[in-house]
DNA sequence: TATTGTTATACTCTATAACTATA
DNA sequence: TATAGTTATAGAGTATAACAATA
């Protein structure tokens, strides 16, 4: 009940708001033409499965991305992780500390920049990430089971064309 | 500086963490094979442009989706909006009230269910949404400028295959 | 002067529990 | 008993300002 509009009928011309009509099947025609809408829905669908299947490794998508990049880029800095993944530095601090507390990564002084730390995966971290990447790839195979291999390659190529 | 690991070198076998190495070009090879990662990046890229270009209409992506669905589905209920867009009911309340306060939509009693409200766009709302949808479509054309029309159709089709 | 990493903090988004009115 | 809408609130995610150490 609106407390602002004392005369809501002013905004309800009969041609626009017929009270006798109700919607059986929602028409999503327009918003489904939008890349942004579809990309977001697809991403959320994948993330939902991802969260379940990577729960044993206690890695959310961001944790996984960061840890995976450290494994594949030994010596990478926080700053490089931030610009690569679009994370803001303050929001990466806790994540890095968590990975370190879990013994998955460690910090070493940067060879040429005293301000920075080189991030390195530990043996434990490498082993965990190997298993986690296998699980993540399985998730992909799962959510993409309605796509042929060619379609999947096409999808990745077209998505990169949007954001790169 | 870690306060938890008194002997961090235990986690830094030389073979795994060479302190003399630093990363010039970040290798994103693995995560870029993931649909979830690419879909999320693409969605965020579109949303960034969307926020700028629809700022004049004071509509965030969710506001836009909800308002657009109401325009195209006069009499739709909050519940139907929630299940269509994956929004939780408590989080839709404020949004609907905001659209109503702005005079873009109004509530009318549902014809057959006394608990529900039918949501209807006002003339103002319809006019605003017409302009906003034009802007949104322009955003799409913009972010998809590296895609042919055929590629764009393919992208939409493949994304739907992921989340539907 | 600019940048890396960090702290503190605010803001937004999303999720849960519980209530009312009606089905 | 179940559902639509709502309230209050908790939690997660994202953002800005400011600082120390180093370039």
């Amino acid at each position: 009940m609106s407390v602002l509009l004392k005369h809501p009928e002013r905004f309800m011309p009969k041609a626009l708001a017929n009270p006798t009509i109700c919607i059986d099947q929602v028409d999503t025609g327009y918003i489904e033409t939008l890349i942004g809408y579809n990309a977001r829905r697809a991403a959320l669908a994948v993330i939902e499965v991802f969260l379940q299947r990577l729960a044993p490794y206690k890695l959310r998508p961001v944790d996984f991305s960061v840890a995976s990049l450290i494994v594949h880029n030994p010596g990478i800095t926080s700053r490089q992780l931030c610009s690569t993944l679009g994370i803001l530095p303050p929001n990466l601090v806790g994540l890095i500390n968590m990975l370190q507390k879990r013994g998955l990564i460690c910090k070493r002084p940067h060879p040429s920049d005293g301000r920075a730390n080189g991030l390195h995966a530990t043996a434990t971290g490498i082993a965990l990430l190997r298993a986690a990447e296998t699980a993540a790839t399985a998730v992909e195979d799962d959510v993409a089971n309605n796509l042929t291999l060619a379609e999947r390659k096409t999808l990745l190529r077209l998505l990169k064309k949007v954001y790169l």
Side-chain angles (χ1 to χ4, degrees), chain A residues 98-120:
Chain A
M98 177 273 288
L99 294 175
Q100 192 179 34
K101 278 182 195 168
R102 289 172 60 183
L104 303 178
I105 64 165
C106 63
K107 297 175 182 175
R108 298 213 68 174
H110 190 278
S112 60
D113 189 337
R115 299 168 301 180
N117 291 313
L119 300 171
H120 300 262

Side-chain angles (χ1 to χ4, degrees), chain A residues 127-143:
Chain A
L128 186 86
L129 261 289
R130 179 148 36 222
E133 286 185 358
T134 302
T137 301
V139 169
E140 294 287 309
D141 294 341
D142 208 38
V143 298

Side-chain angles (χ1 to χ4, degrees), chain A residues 155-164:
Chain A
L155 177 56
L156 294 179
R157 181 174 61 81
L158 297 180
L159 284 172
K160 285 195 222 309
K161 277 197 175 190
V162 171
Y163 76 86
L164 283 182

Side-chain angles (χ1 to χ4, degrees), chain A residues 8-9 13 32 58 80 101 136 143 152 157:
Chain A
E9 62 277 7
E32 283 190 9
K58 303 227 189 302
Q80 287 176 309
K101 278 182 195 168
V143 298
R152 193 161 147 183
R157 181 174 61 81

